[in-house]
Every structure is written in C-alpha cells, then in structure tokens.
Amino acid sequence: MELDIYIHGTVQGVGFRPFVYRLANELRLNGFTRNTARGVEIHVEGDKSELFVERLKAEAPPNAKIDRIDVLPSATSGCKGFTIFPTSEGEATVFAPPDLFTCSDCLRELLDPSDRRYRYPFINCTNCGPRYTIIESLPYDRMKTTMDAFPMCPDCRNEYEDPLNRRFHAEPNACAKCGPRLSFFENGKTEGEIEEAIRVIRQGKVVAMKGLGGFHLVCDPHNAEAVRRLRTLKERERKPFALMARDIDTAREIAFLDEDEERTLLSPSRPIVLLRKKVEIDGISPNINSYGIMLPYTPLHALVTENSPLLVATSANVRNSPILKDEAEGIHELSDALLTHNRDIAMRCDDSVLEVVDGKSVFLRRARGFVPDPLGIGLDDQHPAILSLGGELKNTITILKDGYLVTSQYLGDMGEIRNKRYLEEVLEHYRNLYAFNPEFITCDLHPNFTTTRMAEKWGKPVVKVQHHIAHVYAVLAEHSVDPGEPFLGVAFDGVGFGEDGNIWGGEFFLGRNGRTERLLHLRYVPQQGGDLATREPWRMALSYIVDAFGEVEMVGLLNDVDMRILKGSRNAMEKKINSPLTSSMGRLFDAVSAMLSVSPLRIDYEAEAAMRLESTASEDVREHYPFDIRDAEVDMRRMIRAIAGDAENGESAPVISRRFHNTIAHVILAASELARERYKIERVILSGGVFLNSLLLRETVTLLRDAGIDVYVPERFSPGDEALSLGQAYYAAFKLKGAN
Ligand code: ZN
Ligand code: ZN
Ligand code: FE
C-alpha cells in the first residue's frame, strides 16, 4: 500500500530521518523521506506500510516530540529503494530542537583511548549536542548554524553522509582535526587546557568556562575563600549558587533525592534541580534548605568534572544582567582565568532551574533544554500572528504562529537596559528563525513597563492584558483549557498593576462565558515605601501589624529597625505618603517572615524573605490560623494577631511558619468551596510566583483534591512572571478568535 505521511513536531535535529531510513529498510519498503518547513515528510510503498506507521509512533527516537501525524493514501508509486532527499527550502516552521545533553554512546567514545574522538570536548551525534543555541535560521542545517565556520574533514563528512551512521546529518558533527578547539588563558594562553583549569580552580580561583548558552563561573565549593571571591565578583551576598555534580552519587552525598528528582536530574534537558540539603557547605545557599544541583551536560563538563566531582557552576553575569556569551562582553572582569572555545553561541541561554513537587516539575527558570518546545493550542494556521512582550520582571516573550505558541527562554528584568537588549536580540532571532511578523502585540496593563512602551510604539494593534489574568491564562494555555469553560483562577504573586490602579497580587478570578472578573482579593494594606517595601520586608510587617492592631506592636524584626526610620514609615503610612495600597500575597509572606525575624532587614535577591520562611517551616504541623472572607475581601487580621501572640508566647518560628502556610492553603480551599457553592465551579487554576513555594503548592493541591476539586498547576512553564507572555498570547488569541 502506498502512503504519504506528514509528521509535525520537534522531529528535526533529533535523529528522526536515520530512524525512518532504518525502519523502512527493515520492513523492505520503498519510498523516500525529507525534512520540510513543517516537519518531516515520508512516502512508503510495500506490504508493511501500515506496520511502518505503527512502529514510527511507537519507536521514535527519545528526543523526538511528535505533535501530529497525518497519513494519506498516496498517488505516487514505483519508487526503487528508500532515499533520503535533501531538505527542501520553504516557509520556516516553529519547530527548532532544544539543546541536548551528551548521550551515553558519545560519552563512551569520549573516554575510549582507541576512538578517534578520545577526549575531544565537542563530540556529539544525531541524538545529542548543541541545537537551539547554535541555530541561526531554519530549517535546521549545518550551514545555518555557527558550525558553518568549521568545514568537515573527510572522516567526519563520511559519517555525516552515511544514512546508517549514528552521525548521519548530525549538524554539529566535528572532531579534533576539523572542529572547534578549547583554549585556556590565565596570564596568557596555556596548553593542557582542562588540566590547567582544574589546577587553577584548586588554587581557589574563579574560572569562566564557556558552555552551551553562555559562560559559567566555576570554583571549588569547599574553598570558602573562593566562594567569597565569587560573591564579590557577582555582587551577590547570599543568592544561592548552583552546583555541578559529576554524577548522581556525588549529588546524593550532599542532598536528599527521590526517584522523581533523580529522573529529572538525568533527563535530556539536564536542568538545575533544587534538592534538600544533607550537609551544609558554607556560603553556597545561606539560610535556604536546598541546593540547586545539575549534572554535566556537555563533553567538556564531563572532562572537567572527571577528577573534580563537585563544582560551583553559576551563570556568568553581573548582577541583574544577561548571561555572557562572548569574551568581549566583559568576562575578564568576572573571573581569574578563562576556559573557552571558538564555537560561537548564536543564542544565549541560561540553565533551567526547577524543583520537583509530587513528581511534577515546577519551573523557577525555564531556559536551556526546554526552549523552544512549541505549544499547540488547537488554533488553525490562519490565526493572526501575535507577539507577546510579557511583563517587567523575569520576563520572556511569546509568539503565536501557525497555531503554536513559542515562549522564549528567561530574559531577566526589563528595567536593566542589557536585559532589554537581550529581549531585542531574541526578537530579532525569532524573526529570522521563524520568519515571524506579528499582526498584533500584547503587553501588560502597567503604563510604565518597558515592554508596554515597546508595544505602544510598535505600530500594530495592541491588546493589553491585566497581569494576574495573564498568569491564570498561562496555566489555561498549557493545559489546553478553553477559556470559555468556567473556572476559578487563583493568582498569588508579588506585584502586578490592577484594574483599579492598586497593586494586586492576592487574587481570585471567576471565569465564565469567556469573561474573567475579580471575585475575591486579599484585603488592601498600604505598601509604605513603594518598591522599597519589596526590598525591606519589615515595612510590610509594620503595615500588617498596624492594620490588625490599630497601632504598632513591636514584633520580630521591627525590634531591629532604627527607631527613627520605623516612626517615619508609620507617619508616612498615616499620611498616605508613598503608600500605595496592595493586595499582594507575596508581601504577606514578607510580612510574616519579618514578624518571625526569619527575613533579613534588607533582602539580597527577589523572594529571599519568602524562601527563608518556607525553608524554616516545620514538617508535621497540621493546624492553621483563623481568617475571614467577607464580600470580595479576604481578611487576614485575625491570623496576624494570632501570629503576634504565638511569637510573644515563645512559639518557635518553624511551627508558626508551618501554621501560616497551612492557613494560606485553607484560604484557597475556602474560596474554592465558595465558588463551587455559588457558581458550581469545580475547576481551580493555581498561578503566580508564590506557587514556587513547594510547601504551599503541595498543601493546596492536597486540600483541593481531597475536597473533590479539579486543580490545574503550572508544569511546563513557570508559575511566575516568566509565563506572563504566554498567558497574554493565549488571552489575545481567544479574544481575536471571538472577534472574527
Ligand atoms: Zn551522542
Ligand atoms: Zn573531523
Ligand atoms: Fe506576577
């Protein structure tokens, strides 16, 4: 039987065509295959063509992601043998492959003295190696990657052209004769690059090491002086540093990990996984109960960790700016020595960071290994192209093209000019990569966001989406929930511009008939000091205490604040000077953290106060504090009074913290039950950066499930502001669809 098969999905650059070739030969089928702009096209003829289709689905290579297969009877017949045709040019697809960790076959060759690539740090094959970070345009082909600068030697070319070789069309294929090379600089260039780098690390110095999406700063985690030096270079007092462990056993020596966490560490994306500490290594993640650990994901990493099983490997960037990808971007000021190479990075990209909660991933940062991974949302190709510019902090952009949403890697805070340039870099890249030209632009409702101003200047129709509605829609998008279906959307985060001009962030939305209205919100309190209050959590403690008691009670951290400053803040609050109203849940976490003196007076990185509060929480405390839901308001004053009372009576911070977490979960349960009774809503969406708190997430999901409620949580995208652009795009797509 003659069949034409069209495969959509991430099927280029993952060893798909060689797999097709081998399968067709095994089943003695004639025909051909080729990469097209939309995926892979296959024509087969022979007795077993239907079996071929079945096995195609069942046995596809591990990194292929098939989105859709169309099988049609074919008019073509009479092919002789099975041929792989060259890639046809044409309109670009949205499917670019993500970067992949070094596979076990390549690792074996890397350490085999008889192999021609013995200890060659850029070994790769059709199943592994750099992809997204070296691609300049699509379809994926060597000529369109930064490997174009390295003409293949005859041996490499033979492998590349042989359909039965495991390097057939491995676009970054290379060897020591023809491919990229390492170099090492300390005081001038030195031979023996890897050995030299390790020697320098052992001396307590900081080495910048070029990886896939940029440079890492690497040092010895057990050398306190080296770690301090790294903190000085990065201008970070306490922000946790990621560790690279040679293998699972090394990770297990310093942290606890269960099966799911082990599987995640070993997954092809090789993310940084947050794991509970077993032993304390000074200065790595102070006051937090976890380490961020990753395994080696390039051959260079494998060689460097061979005899140095545990290293600090943190992104090389100056505070709040993008990861560096070229030496010229100032890498020398950040390091003592340089281990680099001459393969250019086309697209800078940080390591991804996630935690595993009840077997599922929660992204703290979605980047290398997970981008681009297009998300099909069931719209047809004819839908207008949308560009979503996201928010301000921890931003990303999303494009809608051909019915797929593509969300970029984490880009950082837009207030910093270098991050804004990074956004422009990615935007330009996507225009080339995806031949993308937007017809609509979306952005946040906030009038002063960098991205809002960019959207307004674009010259195309702009759809503005309220911050927390975008949070909820991001989760609807990844679960393919039609926004026309009824839902209760919970959006808990630090800050977002509200429709009434106040700062929102503890929000419950009612979604019905495609409309989203604010149902409940945390009672407003003044955020005295404005943005300063996000960096000085004691200000929120003061605000909540005054709201609950009607006067100042000296609780926790307030005792450490300079009296004049404290009084000044109190007076300003009374006179409503620099005291915008907020319903932010993130700020409530800050307040409680400060009431328990768990928070520092001034934080070093976003959410430090909340993370410390979570880290300190005791494991087995069941009870929670009282609260009230009145009209549209969630009133936590009784809880604040109870916490102050507990603290005064000498109850421990771990117990109070845990009771507080339980209380917030119960607030969500109460709101969900209210929505169910009043509006017959059974579906609850959890969104917003507060749900990066795994304790809260786990408690909430358990409570809601036990109550028979359907819970949707962010799994493929971050709960935080990284997902805003995704939510905006999904919101606008449906709004525009309705308008048609
Ligand atoms: Zn490989
Ligand atoms: Zn070669
Ligand atoms: Fe947010």
Side-chain angles (χ1 to χ4, degrees):
M1 187 169 185
E2 291 86 27
L3 296 176
D4 285 336
I5 305 161
Y6 300 93
I7 301 168
H8 299 251
T10 304
V11 286
Q12 299 182 7
V14 289
F16 202 79
R17 283 180 304 164
F19 155 71
V20 167
Y21 182 88
R22 279 192 292 270
L23 188 59
N25 277 312
E26 192 190 319
L27 299 177
R28 299 177 191 285
L29 299 174
N30 296 327
F32 61 85
T33 181
R34 67 176 150 220
N35 278 349
T36 69
R38 304 195 152 250
V40 169
E41 180 189 345
I42 306 168
H43 170 79
V44 282
E45 41 192 84
D47 300 341
K48 294 183 176 159
S49 51
E50 274 158 342
L51 178 61
F52 175 84
V53 175
E54 266 165 50
R55 289 188 57 185
L56 203 61
K57 291 178 194 166
E59 298 168 26
N63 296 310
K65 262 200 184 150
I66 298 177
D67 217 60
R68 199 176 88 216
I69 300 188
D70 298 331
V71 183
L72 303 167
S74 176
T76 313
S77 69
C79 289
K80 297 239 162 13
F82 195 87
T83 321
I84 299 183
F85 286 135
T87 299
S88 68
E89 287 291 331
E91 199 200 332
T93 154
V94 293
F95 296 101
D99 296 301
L100 300 166
F101 82 110
T102 312
C103 75
S104 49
D105 289 335
C106 286
L107 282 177
R108 201 177 321 108
E109 290 178 8
L110 180 70
L111 300 174
D112 174 3
S114 70
D115 192 273
R116 73 183 192 90
R117 290 190 181 84
Y118 178 56
R119 301 190 76 76
Y120 179 59
F122 303 95
I123 187 170
N124 66 81
C125 71
T126 50
N127 286 322
C128 77
R131 300 284 189 273
Y132 181 70
T133 52
I134 61 165
I135 297 175
E136 282 162 337
S137 61
L138 288 173
Y140 178 52
D141 187 74
R142 186 182 183 97
M143 309 257 292
K144 296 174 175 178
T145 70
T146 58
M147 284 301 293
D148 189 34
F150 303 94
M152 275 183 275
C153 71
D155 286 342
C156 285
R157 179 149 294 280
N158 284 340
E159 294 167 336
Y160 182 86
E161 286 172 354
D162 173 5
L164 293 176
N165 192 288
R166 67 183 200 86
R167 295 200 165 86
F168 173 68
H169 272 268
E171 307 301 346
N173 190 30
C175 72
K177 246 187 277 172
C178 64
R181 279 167 196 275
L182 278 185
S183 31
F184 178 77
F185 300 89
E186 193 189 7
N187 306 307
K189 197 167 185 267
T190 324
E191 297 295 306
E193 296 83 9
I194 292 171
E195 296 69 28
E196 281 300 300
I198 290 165
R199 185 183 58 76
V200 168
I201 290 167
R202 294 215 170 116
Q203 284 175 355
K205 290 182 180 165
V206 174
V207 173
M209 176 169 71
K210 191 170 175 181
L212 281 183
F215 284 90
H216 278 137
L217 298 180
V218 180
C219 76
D220 177 0
H222 297 294
N223 184 329
E225 192 52 48
V227 174
R228 261 199 300 277
R229 169 140 180 75
L230 183 56
R231 292 209 168 275
T232 311
L233 288 166
K234 282 197 66 159
E235 299 172 43
R236 283 293 184 189
E237 247 178 280
R238 292 183 299 268
K239 192 175 188 186
F241 286 149
L243 298 168
M244 184 176 282
R246 180 177 55 198
D247 44 35
I248 290 286
D249 287 343
T250 307
R252 212 184 285 285
E253 280 169 25
I254 58 165
F256 297 97
L257 54 163
D258 63 23
E259 262 172 50
D260 293 320
E261 289 163 334
E262 185 172 323
R263 187 173 36 77
T264 310
L265 269 177
L266 288 164
S267 66
S269 320
R270 289 287 158 107
I272 296 170
V273 182
L274 298 194
L275 300 168
R276 200 155 57 83
K277 284 178 182 174
K278 196 183 267 180
V279 294
E280 183 69 38
I281 308 172
D282 280 346
I284 300 299
S285 62
N287 305 104
I288 301 294
N289 64 356
S290 63
Y291 294 122
I293 301 179
M294 68 185 132
L295 298 181
Y297 54 83
T298 70
L300 177 58
H301 295 157
L303 295 172
V304 168
T305 54
E306 201 177 19
N307 297 310
S308 318
L310 192 68
L311 293 169
V312 171
T314 179
S315 299
N317 59 347
V318 268
R319 196 181 167 105
N320 291 334
S321 54
I323 184 168
L324 303 184
K325 74 179 181 75
D326 301 318
E327 280 109 271
E329 293 179 326
I331 196 69
H332 299 281
E333 283 106 78
L334 282 179
S335 55
D336 303 311
L338 186 61
L339 181 61
T340 187
H341 60 74
N342 58 346
R343 185 181 67 208
D344 283 344
I345 296 171
M347 189 73 274
R348 75 181 85 230
C349 196
D350 278 279
D351 290 318
S352 293
V353 185
L354 54 80
E355 56 191 333
V356 181
V357 180
D358 295 333
K360 285 179 182 157
S361 297
V362 179
F363 281 91
L364 286 91
R365 185 165 73 201
R366 179 181 172 276
R368 178 193 49 77
F370 294 95
V371 283
D373 192 18
L375 178 71
I377 53 167
L379 292 171
D380 58 40
D381 302 6
Q382 305 312 313
H383 199 283
I386 296 174
L387 166 65
S388 292
L389 292 172
E392 182 81 354
L393 304 173
K394 299 187 170 201
N395 204 23
T396 61
I397 59 166
T398 293
I399 64 170
L400 173 69
K401 194 195 166 199
D402 300 347
Y404 285 90
L405 294 169
V406 181
T407 300
S408 76
Q409 67 269 36
Y410 160 87
L411 303 172
D413 300 350
M414 294 296 109
E416 161 63 49
I417 184 75
R418 282 171 287 199
N419 294 327
K420 185 184 173 229
R421 278 196 214 116
Y422 185 12
L423 183 148
E424 285 160 355
E425 221 172 87
V426 171
L427 204 52
E428 194 51 39
H429 194 63
Y430 280 14
R431 280 175 191 274
N432 289 330
L433 207 58
Y434 302 121
F436 177 71
N437 221 335
E439 292 157 72
F440 291 87
I441 316 292
T442 78
C443 64
D444 197 271
L445 209 57
H446 198 299
N448 297 327
F449 276 2
T450 313
T451 47
T452 304
R453 289 197 297 265
M454 274 179 83
E456 284 166 347
K457 272 192 255 164
W458 203 282
K460 294 276 169 155
V462 177
V463 180
K464 292 188 180 177
V465 188
Q466 198 278 327
H467 190 99
H468 302 96
I469 293 179
H471 270 308
V472 172
Y473 268 72
V475 182
L476 294 176
E478 71 160 289
H479 291 285
S480 302
V481 178
D482 185 325
E485 301 285 311
F487 63 83
L488 177 74
V490 183
F492 285 179
D493 70 351
V495 51
F497 189 79
E499 283 161 359
D500 59 2
N502 292 325
I503 303 170
W504 291 10
E507 313 302 316
F508 295 90
F509 295 99
L510 187 62
R512 281 185 307 177
N513 315 320
R515 290 186 45 233
T516 314
E517 49 190 293
R518 196 183 192 203
L519 179 68
L520 297 169
H521 62 86
L522 215 52
R523 177 182 158 85
Y524 284 126
V525 293
Q527 182 173 323
Q528 200 286 313
D531 279 350
L532 186 60
T534 66
R535 296 189 293 276
E536 298 183 347
W538 64 264
R539 289 174 187 271
M540 290 315 300
L542 180 66
S543 181
Y544 267 102
I545 286 169
V546 169
D547 188 45
F549 290 95
E551 60 186 353
V552 182
E553 297 276 319
M554 294 304 283
V555 183
L557 205 57
L558 295 188
N559 293 296
D560 300 350
V561 181
D562 183 305
M563 256 340 253
R564 278 167 308 173
I565 295 175
L566 190 76
K567 275 193 181 139
S569 179
R570 170 78 184 101
N571 288 337
M573 222 179 273
E574 207 145 72
K575 295 189 182 119
K576 300 191 166 61
I577 297 166
N578 199 10
S579 300
L581 293 178
T582 181
S583 59
S584 161
M585 183 56 78
R587 295 291 86 78
L588 177 59
F589 273 76
D590 286 355
V592 173
S593 187
M595 285 175 73
L596 304 184
S597 288
V598 169
S599 153
L601 275 173
R602 197 181 175 88
I603 59 167
D604 177 45
Y605 54 90
E606 204 207 332
E608 184 182 12
M611 282 168 74
R612 287 197 188 191
L613 186 64
E614 179 190 358
S615 280
T616 193
S618 147
E619 293 216 4
D620 31 42
V621 173
R622 306 296 326 149
E623 65 271 27
H624 63 89
Y625 292 116
F627 58 88
D628 302 285
I629 296 181
R630 241 179 274 103
D631 303 326
E633 192 176 87
V634 180
D635 178 351
M636 307 304 290
R637 283 179 295 179
R638 283 205 288 152
M639 178 193 76
I640 294 292
R641 290 195 287 266
I643 290 177
D646 271 0
E648 201 180 330
N649 294 332
E651 187 59 89
S652 76
V655 169
I656 299 176
S657 168
R658 183 53 192 258
R659 285 179 185 158
F660 166 70
H661 280 84
N662 294 346
T663 310
I664 303 307
H666 275 275
V667 167
I668 300 170
L669 176 63
S672 305
E673 287 181 329
L674 184 149
R676 178 158 64 181
E677 279 157 29
R678 224 182 269 170
Y679 306 102
K680 312 246 171 315
I681 285 174
E682 307 273 350
R683 180 187 288 129
V684 173
I685 315 295
L686 303 182
S687 72
V690 168
F691 289 103
L692 290 170
N693 182 318
S694 59
L695 173 57
L696 175 69
L697 181 62
R698 197 176 285 129
E699 273 302 308
T700 306
V701 169
T702 307
L703 278 184
L704 295 183
R705 292 229 169 104
D706 288 352
I709 292 163
D710 279 340
V711 200
Y712 293 78
V713 300
E715 291 163 33
R716 288 176 65 182
F717 296 87
S718 169
D721 283 6
E722 279 183 49
L724 285 179
S725 67
L726 174 71
Q728 290 171 357
Y730 196 58
Y731 181 91
F734 275 88
K735 208 175 164 86
L736 294 170
K737 189 177 147 197
N740 283 344

